[in-house]
Amino acid sequence: PMFLPILDFRDHGFSYGLRASFVDVTGKGSRISVPFTWGAHKRIAGEYELRFGPGKRARLEAAAAWLRRDNPFYDIEETRRDASAGLSYELARPLRATVRTGLADVAFGAGGDRFPWVSGELTLDTRIDPNLPRQAVYAAMRVERLAFDAYEPATRVRTDLRGYLGLIGQSVLAVRALHVMSDTPRPSFERAL
């Protein structure tokens, strides 16, 4: 097993915890991770990944998670349970295509919803190590369909652009642009923080 501390600070608070990972449990190329955080984000999850096929270009992913946090905009407690699975394939060295599906159950104050979702994503990632990127770019575009029960279904498009430039010594300048849009108004618990 491998253990990694988690320290995260965002505008809505500080979270801390631990990630335990186990490799090659279900065969070569597999990994099981269990992240646990407390603080602003109380979260526990089980995550599974299996790389397979020629050159390990295909990847199967599955996850189940429980999350509780206070929404800083509405000042309402949110509890979310998610389960998802996906398959991705490396089309060329920096280019990967992914399809995912899942089910989310959200309690948001006195409201909430349970809804399935499906997504398709195309990612260009020249980072050799995502934890220590240098002289690299990351660009991803995801299209999601959210089929709410109590609200109008929505199609959401998320674009994430990042650039990393190595400076003097170990310092790296990182720049990120994130854009999220939807074809219909989404419920409060699905709006970007």
Side-chain angles (χ1 to χ4, degrees), residues 7 9 21 23 53 79 82 86 97 113 121 153 159:
L7 298 171
F9 180 77
S21 295
V23 296
T79 302
D82 292 297
D113 202 351
E121 183 173 347
T159 307

Side-chain angles (χ1 to χ4, degrees), residues 57-79:
R57 295 171 71 173
R59 183 169 59 206
L60 175 68
E61 299 171 317
W66 175 90
L67 166 75
R68 178 171 287 155
R69 67 181 174 191
D70 286 330
N71 184 296
F73 184 79
Y74 296 101
D75 197 26
I76 294 174
E77 186 177 86
E78 173 184 344
T79 302

Side-chain angles (χ1 to χ4, degrees), residues 41-57:
H41 275 119
K42 297 168 185 66
R43 180 177 185 263
I44 187 163
E47 301 167 348
Y48 177 76
E49 178 183 306
L50 175 65
R51 293 176 184 263
F52 62 95
K56 305 281 185 194
R57 295 171 71 173

Side-chain angles (χ1 to χ4, degrees), residues 112-128:
D113 202 351
R114 173 180 288 176
F115 57 94
W117 57 269
V118 64
S119 71
E121 183 173 347
L122 195 59
T123 305
L124 174 71
D125 188 358
T126 65
R127 301 173 300 178
I128 294 171

